[in-house]
Amino acid sequence: MGSVLALSSRPGHQNWPFSTDPPPSRWDRRDGRLPNPGSFHALHRSCKEVFPQQIEGVKMIVNKTLSSFFKVSHILHLSAVSPSYYRFHVEHLQSDDYSKDKDAPALIGEMDSTGSMNAHSLLHLTERVRARTVFQTQQSQFVTWQFETEYRGNDFTAAVTVANPDVLRESVILVAHFLQSVSSGLVLGGELVYHRGRAEEGGILTLAGQYSRPNWVATLNAGKGGAHASYYHRANKQIQVGVEFEASTRTQETTTSFGYQMELPEANMVFRGMINSRCIIGGVLEKRLSPLPATLIMGAFVNHRGDKLQVGLGINVG
């Protein structure tokens, strides 16, 4: 179970906000020991980062670094399809002995023009223990409050999440994750989700596996709720491709998607494209406007089955 909100780490692309470290190597050649497999949230991340994020309307992002620990962003989105909004984003960064990534966010907050707020926090309690909290409001009402503790051993990761505990309504969601490196390229683990309310109670077990080599990663999650498989391949320094398959037993639907990313360093350009089994084709082009500290983003998505077209233009400054 991931966070209820994935904040953007770069324009037009969303990621888990606290997993900015690159996918770990599955083999430590210095002493032959297996490394930590990383977070359960990041199993499909390599493949997902290849796909373009849908953009519609006009979007402007202005980033400002106020100090080595403090960053703010202003986001303005104008749309003819969905409600337009202004969003204020702030990050307080940490730098301590327990953080491998010296720029890992410690506190993240967002508030939009409707009064809705999202807040995330990350604390490195020890070298191996991390604590996360997530709060989300919809105008004046709390909709999500989530607490997670993660322990990273030498070759395994274990995490427990408590979401939306409510004593009065006698409801709670509990999520447990476990990943274990078992060989130089193989990681096995699982996720157990338990939910309880006044009207219902139940649990879902999902097993996960990942096999990785230097230039490709294959991942599979399968359980009672469905299956999610992905394959990521880095063809060369410029081209990366990914394939995703998702099946849901609840909706009785399956989706297969193909995505690719092409980098043109000489032109300061990155292009991401995708096509899926629902007849949706799209692409996003990001162009760095050197020597200006700005990135131009242009995207278009066509739904042939629904006869819909989405076109978007954005600029990221700072």
Side-chain angles (χ1 to χ4, degrees):
M1 177 180 176
S3 170
V4 295
L5 177 68
L7 299 181
S8 298
S9 63
R10 64 186 181 193
H13 213 70
Q14 294 184 336
N15 299 304
W16 173 254
F18 303 125
S19 299
T20 55
D21 51 312
S25 172
R26 299 301 181 204
W27 188 255
D28 191 337
R29 299 183 182 276
R30 293 174 297 178
D31 53 15
R33 294 186 302 176
L34 294 173
N36 181 274
S39 174
F40 192 93
H41 309 291
L43 281 176
H44 296 275
R45 184 178 56 189
S46 298
C47 181
K48 286 185 175 297
E49 288 185 345
V50 171
F51 286 79
Q53 297 295 314
Q54 288 198 19
I55 180 173
E56 187 274 329
V58 179
K59 190 172 186 179
M60 182 175 183
I61 304 174
V62 179
N63 304 299
K64 178 65 176 179
T65 301
L66 302 180
S67 69
S68 58
F69 298 97
F70 200 60
K71 297 180 179 180
V72 298
S73 299
H74 302 273
I75 305 169
L76 179 63
H77 184 208
L78 303 177
S79 172
V81 178
S82 58
S84 302
Y85 64 84
Y86 164 78
R87 182 176 297 163
F88 178 70
H89 175 97
V90 61
E91 293 184 10
H92 180 273
L93 309 180
Q94 69 179 1
S95 179
D96 54 48
D97 296 335
Y98 302 132
S99 177
K100 295 181 180 180
D101 186 347
K102 297 303 180 181
D103 290 330
L107 295 173
I108 295 179
E110 279 194 349
M111 179 173 286
D112 61 24
S113 52
T114 66
S116 300
M117 184 185 69
N118 298 280
H120 300 247
S121 69
L122 170 66
L123 294 176
H124 293 263
L125 302 179
T126 68
E127 185 178 0
R128 297 182 181 272
V129 179
R130 301 181 180 185
R132 297 186 179 99
T133 59
V134 177
F135 294 94
Q136 184 179 28
T137 66
Q138 188 68 34
Q139 295 183 352
S140 61
Q141 295 182 347
F142 273 96
V143 293
T144 300
W145 49 101
Q146 179 176 311
F147 310 92
E148 177 181 347
T149 301
E150 181 182 82
Y151 180 83
R152 297 198 175 192
N154 291 331
D155 57 2
F156 72 92
T157 298
V160 176
T161 302
V162 180
N164 291 12
D166 193 325
V167 178
L168 298 179
R169 298 182 180 179
E170 300 179 355
S171 63
V172 69
I173 300 175
L174 299 176
V175 184
H177 294 148
F178 183 80
L179 287 179
Q180 173 72 58
S181 296
V182 297
S183 73
S184 60
L186 182 63
V187 173
L188 297 177
E191 175 189 69
L192 177 62
V193 180
Y194 168 80
H195 62 92
R196 177 178 179 177
R198 289 181 177 179
E200 59 180 356
E201 180 180 7
I204 299 177
L205 176 64
T206 302
L207 301 179
Q210 183 180 81
Y211 189 77
S212 61
R213 303 308 300 168
N215 62 339
W216 61 269
V217 179
T219 308
L220 172 65
N221 293 15
K224 183 180 179 180
H228 182 193
S230 67
Y231 175 78
Y232 163 82
H233 188 93
R234 188 176 187 95
N236 51 48
K237 293 182 178 180
Q238 286 77 38
I239 299 176
Q240 305 174 56
V241 298
V243 179
E244 268 194 317
F245 171 80
E246 295 181 272
S248 173
T249 57
R250 183 178 62 86
T251 61
Q252 300 294 313
E253 294 182 352
T254 62
T255 304
T256 303
S257 305
F258 171 79
Y260 65 94
Q261 174 179 309
M262 179 181 298
E263 300 180 21
L264 302 174
E266 298 82 2
N268 295 322
M269 292 172 53
V270 177
F271 180 80
R272 296 181 180 89
M274 61 85 66
I275 182 173
N276 64 21
S277 56
R278 296 182 178 180
C279 299
I280 298 177
I281 302 175
V284 173
L285 175 67
E286 298 181 13
K287 167 67 175 178
R288 186 71 177 177
L289 303 178
S290 299
L292 299 175
T295 301
L296 179 65
I297 307 167
M298 297 178 291
F301 290 82
V302 180
N303 186 339
H304 290 278
R305 184 176 299 176
D307 195 21
K308 295 180 180 179
L309 171 65
Q310 285 189 353
V311 179
L313 175 66
I315 185 167
N316 187 298
V317 181

